[in-house]
Amino acid sequence: MDRPRLRGRAGLRHLAAPALALAVVAALPLAPAADTPAAAAPPPEFQPVSVNAGLPQGATVKGQFLSYNDFHGAIDPPSGSGAVVNASGTSTPAGGVEYLATYLKKLRAEAKAEGRQTVTVGAGDLVGATPLVSAAFHDEPTIELMNQIGLQVSSVGNHEFDEGVDELIRLQRGGCHPTDGCQDGDGFKGAKFTYLAANTIDNRTKLPILPPIDIKLINGVPVGFVGMTLEGTPGIVNPAGIKNVHFTDEVETANKWGNLLKLFGVKAQVLLVHEGGSQATATPTPGVSDCTGFSGPIVPIVAGLNPEFGLVVSGHTHRFYTCKLPTKGGTAVVTSAGTNGQLITDIDWSVDCRTGRFAQVTAKNVIVENGVPDGNGGWQRDANGVYLKNPATVDAGAKKIADKYRTAVAPIANRVVGRITADITRTATPAGETPLGDVIADAQLARTTGDGAQIALMNPGGIRADFDAEASSGGEANGEVTYGEAFTVQPFNNLVVTQTFTGAQIKAVLEQQFAGFNGQTTTKILQVSNGFTYTWSASAALGSKISNLALNGTPIDPAASYKVTTNDFLANGGDGFTSLTAGTGRTTAPGFDVDALVAYLGAGEPVAPGPANRITTVA
């Protein structure tokens, strides 16, 4: 069958984004750059987080925030190596929307018993890079489920822009998809929660495309939220979908809107930001609520925030942590709940009624367990080693919605499309090459050899999961791969394009893999197809790291022309590879990148893991 195309205080409650306030604040100058402190190295280790403002207190109002981030449409429990949360030396099976709903209800009930009112918040990437059960319906299932489980406000993340600004606005406001309609037959009403996009600015109106702020009144005390994605979003999404907007600095934008909140008497402020950090590697693995050797882009962002921001809910890095970090004149609790709905951050807080500011904030991450205990401190598994799921902790309401979409997509998702000989993973060599990256590059080259393609390049961030030979999502045999599993690996529906480059231009592309060269912000090693080899040097100067380029053993000629295949995300300059926009004679293969992978998996003998020996590195 054909698959669908994937792709006064009373007034405060009305202050989410009134046109007058937007116009006034848009006209205000941003804080001067000199006012933002330079990035400072964090202390070697922060303590598990609890912050007391240390101010003289009168009466207080207590509340609870429950937060999560980077859900990525993970309606089904994650599988394979991602099925567990590894922390504190233990592995716990976790995730799945039916279990997330159960834990949210449980934590809300505990807070209610303590007299705390709950607000449930997110920090972006709720959708995008999603499994087929969500992506087949343009992520409407995830939005419907976020409504069901009680999400109230979230920042946007970079993946909210995967299908462009107009599609994000449709997900917020509702309405059928302009091309595919309402595929489930019952319409689409949009998000009941509020997406915040303070630093995503329409180039024409000079205003945010969605509300920048939200305010919740809790027992008469206002709490304000500012929400945004990372400023670097343009470098990691397809440029075609964001050509009419630009993204502003996180610190300047947060303080700008925080000042407006303060002007209206809202001094307890929360930043929901899709940018984050990570704990350092340690043995045993740090705990889900630890802050061991913490670093990352979120540290200087927090350092520049006004002191009214007592809580920062972060994301993007897919890591778990709860930290306390210095702001400009105060201290903020900074949290992240990993990814895929496997954790919830439980945040207890109080606001001083006299000052209106947070008096105390305490945070911990809670694992959304979905397994069946084995009675010995572990978890029951089936004959293939897959963790059993616990029916006793399933939320019936969330399951009903999820099952509707599972049933609808099952004929597509469970179709066996090919075979593999063993697990094919994203585990990288010291040179940055992965077995799965090899396979995907080979698949794209095979898709375009008829167009004369000689080399294929694949961005590592576009590979979202491993192939697990023992996984059996649709009852298939070991080693068989379903369409749903292939889509989970490559969920973006990018086009496969071929362009002509000179050998010198190919070298320029590879030089741009390294942070600091030609505008590149982070090092990203492109995966390469069979027959293409090169070496890079860690110590060589930027712009001179690449050597020994060869195609089938013949050195690449700087003056000769070569046909190179990539996805259109890269060809449009995504992931900072602006050098790839210099190609000429672009042609587009039929279908999407996942179709190239599916065709390769089903073309003949079972596919083995790539050799990961095409890229070498020297000191």
Side-chain angles (χ1 to χ4, degrees), residues 267-546:
K267 299 177 182 178
Q269 298 178 10
V270 179
L271 177 62
L272 308 176
V273 58
H274 192 69
E275 181 60 288
S278 61
Q279 301 188 64
T281 302
T283 304
T285 308
V288 294
S289 299
D290 290 348
C291 193
T292 303
F294 187 76
S295 64
I298 195 63
V299 176
I301 291 173
V302 175
L305 295 177
N306 292 338
E308 286 79 16
F309 284 103
L311 173 65
V312 177
V313 179
S314 67
H316 188 54
T317 57
H318 292 196
R319 305 298 180 90
F320 46 70
Y321 48 82
T322 63
C323 298
K324 53 184 178 182
L325 300 178
T327 63
K328 190 171 62 175
T331 302
V333 170
V334 182
T335 71
S336 174
T339 184
N340 289 337
Q342 293 182 302
L343 296 165
I344 300 167
T345 309
D346 183 0
I347 306 162
D348 287 340
W349 55 269
S350 61
V351 168
D352 188 318
C353 295
R354 180 179 61 84
T355 66
R357 289 176 56 177
F358 285 115
Q360 187 168 27
V361 180
T362 302
K364 64 180 179 181
N365 280 325
V366 177
I367 299 177
V368 179
E369 298 176 1
N370 63 25
V372 180
D374 64 7
N376 298 310
W379 305 91
Q380 293 184 28
R381 306 188 192 209
D382 66 16
N384 292 320
V386 177
Y387 291 99
L388 298 179
K389 302 300 182 286
N390 191 347
T393 52
V394 166
D395 178 80
K399 184 177 186 301
K400 181 178 179 180
I401 295 173
D403 283 349
K404 176 182 73 171
Y405 290 105
R406 288 167 179 153
T407 299
V409 83
I412 303 166
N414 295 336
R415 177 170 59 90
V416 174
V417 296
R419 294 176 294 162
I420 56 178
T421 64
D423 295 350
I424 308 179
T425 73
R426 296 165 292 166
T427 303
T429 68
E433 185 178 358
T434 72
L436 185 49
D438 286 356
V439 168
I440 291 174
D442 290 348
Q444 294 189 2
L445 181 62
R447 188 72 162 183
T448 53
T449 52
D451 199 24
Q454 299 159 282
I455 299 167
L457 305 174
M458 175 64 192
N459 56 308
I463 308 172
R464 305 301 293 190
D466 299 334
F467 276 127
D468 182 353
E470 289 77 35
S472 183
S473 57
E476 70 276 10
N478 284 356
E480 290 185 330
V481 177
T482 65
Y483 182 86
E485 291 167 341
F487 190 88
T488 299
V489 169
Q490 280 194 280
F492 293 106
N493 275 336
N494 291 316
L495 301 174
V496 179
V497 301
T498 303
Q499 303 180 92
T500 298
F501 294 86
T502 66
Q505 288 175 318
I506 293 173
K507 182 178 184 296
V509 168
L510 298 177
E511 295 286 2
Q512 204 173 21
Q513 296 176 118
F514 303 97
F517 183 71
N518 199 11
Q520 184 60 269
T521 56
T522 59
T523 296
K524 305 177 183 75
I525 302 300
L526 296 171
Q527 307 300 291
V528 302
S529 57
N530 186 34
F532 182 62
T533 57
Y534 72 92
T535 300
W536 63 268
S537 168
S539 61
L542 290 173
S544 301
K545 289 183 175 292
I546 303 299

Side-chain angles (χ1 to χ4, degrees), residues 136-159:
F137 306 96
H138 297 282
D139 285 323
E140 293 172 15
T142 294
I143 298 299
E144 187 174 344
L145 281 159
M146 295 300 97
N147 293 342
Q148 167 71 18
I149 67 178
L151 183 64
Q152 293 166 273
V153 59
S154 177
S155 71
V156 296
N158 56 285
H159 282 288

